[in-house]
Amino acid sequence: MRALRQLYEFMQTASRAHAKWDYEVSMNIIHSRKRLMLLGLMVLPIICVTLAQAAGVDMLGGKQAYAPAFYSTNIFIVSIFVGLIAGLITGCIGAGGGFIITPALMAAGIKGILAVGTDLFHIFAKAIMGTAVHKKLGNVSGSLAVAFLVGSVVGATVGGWVNMALFRANPLLSEMFISTIYAVLLGFLGFYALFDFLKSSRGGSGGDAHGGPSGSTGISVKLQSLNLPPMITFDQDLVPGGRRLSGWIIACGGAFVGLLAAIMGVGGGFVTFPMFVYVFGVSSMTTVGTDILQIIFTAGYAAISGYVVNGYVFYTLAMGMLIGSLVGIQVGALTTKVVQGIHIRGFYAVSILAGFINRVTTLPKKLVELEYLDMSKAVVDTIEYVGGIVFWVVVVIFGAWVISKFVFNIGKLRAEA
């Protein structure tokens, strides 16, 4: 039980670290006219196509000639909504809303491999646009970053190959694989978060959703004691002589992060922070700078090498999610000033569990279609339909609740500003 609790705290810390990065990047974009103009130029082709379709005018060469790949007005609107909800979760709850993006896209009818590739591209585009790297480079250990990125490139390559190999072998197998990973992850996070919420609401001593983990296990000391050349030295400014860790261990950590990024479409940043601090024993200052570079290179390499070049990215979806998330993060962050923390924790647990229900209820149908399970089509279709309804109802209620709190308290928020 203690090991599961430590794993939950590790994942919670990872989720919060990624949310903090996402918030900072989004604010950098929102507060910069040049970046907002760049975003407008990226979205301009989609707007032009929408206006042309609304006016009943075909583009030169026909409707498909110069349109963004896989364009449709409805799916663009859905992507903005998905980005908005992810942004609200990130800004309001302080946990990574990226956990919801891929399941939400799949629930909207997007194939799993396209959802993963598009989410990775969306993270990469946001990182390139909004990360002020020059402010953090002083805290980056070059040798540490290189060793980690070598591993992450290997992991991202393997992860992308696994996803594409499964999809090419059988698209249903790919869908089941991605859904199973998310069902396990979201189920573990969701049930533990619900347990903490119920314990806290009864006056118990449940862990704070915005607090840090209870402490490291001492694994970093053991790993740093291993002498496996080449040895990487870091944190020389904080510790006399610095700390030392085998480059092989760092590269293995990078490979794990790259593998997760390529398979799940989450950028990998949500695991890097706790891995560096609690597993490798790297200082928080060095970790922050290295994590920024890691997200850019890992997400960029995984998105471009594994998905973009193979046509598994929805450009339209990525831009819609980027727009929606920028608005959602801003609204969510302001709303935290006028809602009770216990309510936020409750909605976090419920939203994560809704994603779990949505993914786990798709598995029976996939197993039947793959002929691994014998159930009637009507039953598995009903299970999947109910799971989809539960997910979208929870998502809509959460979004409506946060936005209503924001709208009804605009006056109070202005006064505080």
Side-chain angles (χ1 to χ4, degrees), residues 200-261:
S200 298
S201 62
R202 295 188 190 124
S205 57
D208 186 356
H210 296 279
S214 57
S216 72
T217 60
I219 190 174
S220 62
V221 176
K222 295 179 181 179
L223 290 178
Q224 290 179 20
S225 66
L226 297 176
N227 187 16
L228 298 173
M231 300 297 291
I232 305 297
T233 304
F234 52 91
D235 287 343
Q236 293 93 328
D237 296 337
L238 302 176
V239 178
R243 298 186 176 99
R244 301 175 77 243
L245 186 64
S246 171
W248 291 104
I249 295 175
I250 298 168
C252 286
F256 177 71
V257 169
L259 186 68
L260 282 182

Side-chain angles (χ1 to χ4, degrees), residues 14 17-22 25 120 122-128 131 148-149 152 257 261 266-273 287-303:
H18 186 66
K20 182 178 179 181
W21 170 84
D22 201 358
V25 167
L120 270 175
H122 149 254
I123 293 169
F124 174 61
K126 182 184 288 186
I128 289 296
T131 301
F148 190 83
L149 288 172
S152 70
V257 169
V266 288
F270 79 101
V271 170
T272 308
F273 188 89
T287 296
V288 169
T290 308
D291 195 16
I292 288 174
L293 286 179
Q294 180 279 135
I295 291 176
I296 293 175
F297 284 101
T298 300
Y301 175 78

Side-chain angles (χ1 to χ4, degrees), residues 318-342:
M319 293 304 100
M321 287 191 297
L322 183 54
I323 293 172
S325 67
L326 291 178
V327 176
I329 284 178
Q330 184 85 348
V331 172
L334 291 172
T335 305
T336 57
K337 299 179 181 180
V338 293
V339 296
Q340 296 182 23
I342 191 69

Side-chain angles (χ1 to χ4, degrees), residues 34 47 76 90 93 123 180 197 238 258 264 287 298 332 395:
K34 292 182 179 178
I47 296 175
F76 182 55
T90 298
I93 297 173
I123 293 169
T180 300
F197 166 70
L238 302 176
M264 297 178 60
T287 296
T298 300
V395 164

